[in-house]
Amino acid sequence: MRKVVLYIAMSLDGYIADSNGKVNWLHGHSDNEKDIDTYSTFIKDVDTIVMGWNTYYQITTELSSNEWIYENLTSYIITHRLLSSTDNIKFVQDNPCNIVKNLKQEQGKAIWICGGANIIYPLVQNQFIDEYYISIIPTILGSGIRLFDKSSNEIKLKLVHTQTYNGITELVYICR
């Protein structure tokens, strides 16, 4: 079965976006220090991305408006909008758990859960995430969109890797 990975950054106090949904605070503590490129290593083992409409919209309007940055991957955008899919961008009107359950049965590399919170919450709650790759950004936002919502399930994890650079701490956990 394919592995499902939550690869995401959050503030020290657990937010993935500020109160306005912005992520312009996602950087280390100094522009003069070199960041380690862990994304390039991570993405080599991924061929599918799952994200919500808000994440897709933010990528296409703010972060990379000229080109789809995940062109070589199959992207599933969960939305209530009826939009036309392309070869590599699939707009789907289903719940995240059903989509991931079906994708796990297919052949392929890892499935990256890219965001947002409404996609992540049910996947965490129903224990569909196999690996949590979380970068802790040296910022306290105080409010915003939380990575983890209240949960009725306890999920035990095992820390398998850590590294720090430029004030950022990366943590990799697997379910135990």
Side-chain angles (χ1 to χ4, degrees):
M1 271 195 160
R2 299 167 75 182
K3 177 171 58 171
V4 178
V5 180
L6 174 62
Y7 180 91
I8 201 162
M10 72 176 189
S11 65
L12 182 62
D13 54 345
Y15 297 99
I16 58 175
D18 67 18
S19 296
N20 297 314
K22 302 294 182 191
V23 294
N24 56 350
W25 51 272
L26 289 174
H27 48 79
H29 56 61
S30 173
D31 292 335
N32 298 327
E33 286 190 44
K34 185 173 177 158
D35 288 337
I36 296 173
D37 179 16
T38 58
Y39 173 80
S40 294
T41 303
F42 163 76
I43 205 68
K44 288 178 187 176
D45 295 326
V46 172
D47 65 2
T48 305
I49 302 174
V50 176
M51 69 180 73
W53 169 260
N54 291 340
T55 301
Y56 171 78
Y57 186 78
Q58 186 172 51
I59 291 169
T60 58
T61 61
E62 295 175 34
L63 304 176
S64 181
S65 59
N66 295 329
E67 67 178 322
W68 181 239
I69 56 176
Y70 305 120
E71 164 182 327
N72 298 324
L73 307 169
T74 302
S75 301
Y76 288 83
I77 316 304
I78 302 172
T79 179
H80 298 293
R81 294 165 176 80
L82 296 175
L83 301 168
S84 298
S85 297
T86 66
D87 287 341
N88 66 337
I89 301 175
K90 314 288 184 193
F91 295 100
V92 293
Q93 294 81 35
D94 200 352
N95 89 40
C97 294
N98 288 341
I99 292 166
V100 169
K101 181 180 178 183
N102 291 332
L103 288 172
K104 280 186 73 122
Q105 302 304 316
E106 297 175 3
Q107 292 293 320
K109 295 181 178 181
I111 301 163
W112 171 20
I113 307 304
C114 182
N118 291 334
I119 305 307
I120 296 167
Y121 293 158
L123 293 172
V124 170
Q125 186 78 331
N126 291 287
Q127 299 186 26
F128 275 96
I129 308 293
D130 299 307
E131 186 173 292
Y132 294 79
Y133 195 119
I134 301 172
S135 295
I136 309 296
I137 306 300
T139 300
I140 296 173
L141 291 177
S143 66
I145 300 170
R146 296 198 58 78
L147 174 55
F148 299 111
D149 199 11
K150 293 179 182 176
S151 175
S152 59
N153 299 332
E154 179 179 284
I155 300 170
K156 295 188 181 293
L157 304 174
K158 177 181 179 184
L159 181 65
V160 294
H161 181 75
T162 63
Q163 71 178 350
T164 61
Y165 58 89
N166 197 9
I168 298 170
T169 301
E170 292 184 341
L171 307 166
V172 180
Y173 292 93
I174 57 173
C175 293
R176 54 180 165 122

